[in-house]
Amino acid sequence: MTAALKVVRAGLFDTLQDLGRIGFMALGMPTAGAMDRIGLSLANALAGNPASSAGLEIGVMGPDLLVEADSVRVALFGPLSPSLIEGHDAPPKPLESDRSHLLKRGQILRVGMVEGSSTAYLTVAGGFALPPFMGSLSTYSRAGIGGFEGRKLAAGDALPLARETAPGGDERKLGQAFDYGSGPIRVVWGPQEDYFSEAGRRIFVEAEYRVSKEADRMGIRFEGPVIEHAVAVDKGGADIISDGIGPGAIQVPGAGLPIVLLADRQTVGGYPKIATVASVDLPRLGRLLPGQAVHFAAVTVEEAEKLRRDQEARLQRAVAGLVVARPAGGIDLVKLYEENLIGGVVYDRLSD
């Protein structure tokens, strides 16, 4: 019998993603991959996997998964509420996020709603036993490749597991919540900032923009003040010869509103790009919800590189700082041993 997680009920948009299909954009192949690389990396660390392992990216609402394996260790990362485990004639038990959990055959994991973010992650110890495409398990649903049959999960799917049983060891959780940062989204000007007027560039970094309903894995269209092109739109000011699209590229078409391109972006585009989001803030963009407000702030390439190095160092500290997770309803022996159990002892002499 093949170990698997069977989809009893599908979520809204659940796909397998790793850190992306790197090195094939010259062939017209988008990278895809996790919208929030930090979230996936921490979920993998909780499960004991390499950071590059594929996990389930959960959008808005998670699935119900039946365990068809002797045991499996799963890790949940992100604001999921409520997540439950059912089965074995026991009442439903809530499961915390940002930690790992051991599940047994016949149990059902009901992954909850994603609240306060657009994405959350589920990983399994040992990973999924699926063939990579171009070196990656990332799902690119527009082309029907990668992941599980190149698409989002549906009821009846069985995700094969690499392990029949979970590895031994304690459950783990984050020592503290990871700080994604706050404030403006940092950007580096260009590569076509000269296609915009001085007033247009000033509006871009001074105005407030809101995430529109046109937001998905390909990109986010923002609503707000119009950004003026240097040349009138009817004179071709919003068009360029198509060139490469990097992660976080911010296109401004003729309507004058910015579009930030994300994981499933196309490989080339013909609109000028006023700026590019610094990689440090791409995970924040991958968590934004429609209606949320953002500001943009320009930084230099050197500043962007330092911000990313600092973030990677914090990520490594978070992984190194994982702690043993106390079983729900159990006794935390470590905490118990730290208490002063002597001072409260009362002595009683037995009478004859």
Side-chain angles (χ1 to χ4, degrees), residues 214-297:
E214 296 181 70
D216 57 20
R217 284 184 47 83
M218 187 173 182
I220 299 173
R221 187 184 296 271
F222 286 91
E223 298 172 339
V226 170
I227 299 169
E228 182 184 65
H229 293 81
V231 178
V233 170
D234 62 359
K235 303 288 187 183
D239 294 308
I240 62 171
I241 296 173
S242 293
D243 65 359
I245 301 291
I250 306 176
Q251 289 185 329
V252 183
L257 294 177
I259 303 171
V260 179
L261 297 167
L262 300 175
D264 284 359
R265 67 193 180 278
Q266 68 274 28
T267 58
V268 296
Y271 294 125
K273 295 170 284 296
I274 192 170
T276 302
V277 174
S279 62
V280 66
D281 283 338
L282 286 175
R284 290 173 59 193
L285 286 173
R287 294 159 59 88
L288 289 177
L289 292 166
Q292 287 186 301
V294 302
H295 289 83
F296 297 101

Side-chain angles (χ1 to χ4, degrees), residues 14-18 21 32 54-56 128-133 136-141 144-153 159-160:
D14 307 320
T15 58
L16 284 174
Q17 303 291 343
D18 54 26
R21 192 165 283 107
L56 190 60
F128 296 96
L130 288 165
F133 179 82
S136 171
L137 282 182
S138 285
T139 306
Y140 181 52
S141 58
I145 61 172
F148 186 87
E149 298 183 0
R151 57 173 173 77
K152 66 180 182 179
L153 299 187
L159 295 172

Side-chain angles (χ1 to χ4, degrees), residues 47-321:
N49 296 337
S52 59
S53 300
L56 190 60
E57 184 174 271
I58 300 162
V60 182
M61 178 180 68
D64 292 351
L65 302 171
L66 171 65
V67 178
E68 294 185 335
D70 291 338
S71 62
V72 61
R73 174 164 289 114
V74 303
L76 300 172
F77 180 87
L80 289 161
S81 177
S83 291
L84 304 170
I85 185 68
E86 297 180 357
H88 296 174
D89 297 323
K93 182 177 73 172
L95 296 184
E96 297 176 349
S97 290
D98 299 350
R99 60 158 288 170
S100 64
H101 301 273
L102 184 67
L103 280 58
K104 300 293 183 65
R105 184 182 297 278
Q107 290 184 313
I108 295 178
L109 170 61
R110 301 191 186 278
V111 182
M113 301 288 293
V114 185
E115 299 182 344
S117 174
S118 61
T119 55
Y121 292 89
L122 181 153
T123 55
V124 298
F128 296 96
L130 288 165
F133 179 82
M134 287 185 165
S136 171
L137 282 182
S138 285
T139 306
Y140 181 52
S141 58
R142 282 178 169 82
I145 61 172
F148 186 87
E149 298 183 0
R151 57 173 173 77
K152 66 180 182 179
L153 299 187
D157 291 343
L159 295 172
L161 303 176
R163 298 183 60 103
E164 293 281 346
T165 59
D170 295 315
E171 305 308 321
R172 300 195 290 180
K173 66 178 182 178
L174 291 183
Q176 59 184 21
F178 188 85
D179 181 9
Y180 281 78
S182 58
I185 299 294
R186 278 74 60 97
V187 303
V188 175
W189 287 114
Q192 286 103 25
E193 75 272 24
D194 57 330
Y195 273 64
F196 302 89
S197 68
E198 181 179 346
R201 294 193 297 271
R202 185 171 62 251
I203 286 173
F204 172 67
V205 293
E206 292 180 356
E208 178 181 274
Y209 288 90
R210 290 189 178 273
V211 179
S212 75
K213 293 182 179 179
E214 296 181 70
D216 57 20
R217 284 184 47 83
M218 187 173 182
I220 299 173
R221 187 184 296 271
F222 286 91
E223 298 172 339
V226 170
I227 299 169
E228 182 184 65
H229 293 81
V231 178
V233 170
D234 62 359
K235 303 288 187 183
D239 294 308
I240 62 171
I241 296 173
S242 293
D243 65 359
I245 301 291
I250 306 176
Q251 289 185 329
V252 183
L257 294 177
I259 303 171
V260 179
L261 297 167
L262 300 175
D264 284 359
R265 67 193 180 278
Q266 68 274 28
T267 58
V268 296
Y271 294 125
K273 295 170 284 296
I274 192 170
T276 302
V277 174
S279 62
V280 66
D281 283 338
L282 286 175
R284 290 173 59 193
L285 286 173
R287 294 159 59 88
L288 289 177
L289 292 166
Q292 287 186 301
V294 302
H295 289 83
F296 297 101
V299 298
T300 66
V301 171
E302 292 75 18
E303 288 171 330
E305 290 174 344
K306 183 180 185 304
L307 288 167
R308 175 62 183 270
R309 286 194 297 269
D310 292 345
Q311 185 184 64
E312 288 300 312
R314 290 192 292 109
L315 178 58
Q316 293 308 311
R317 287 196 295 271
V319 171

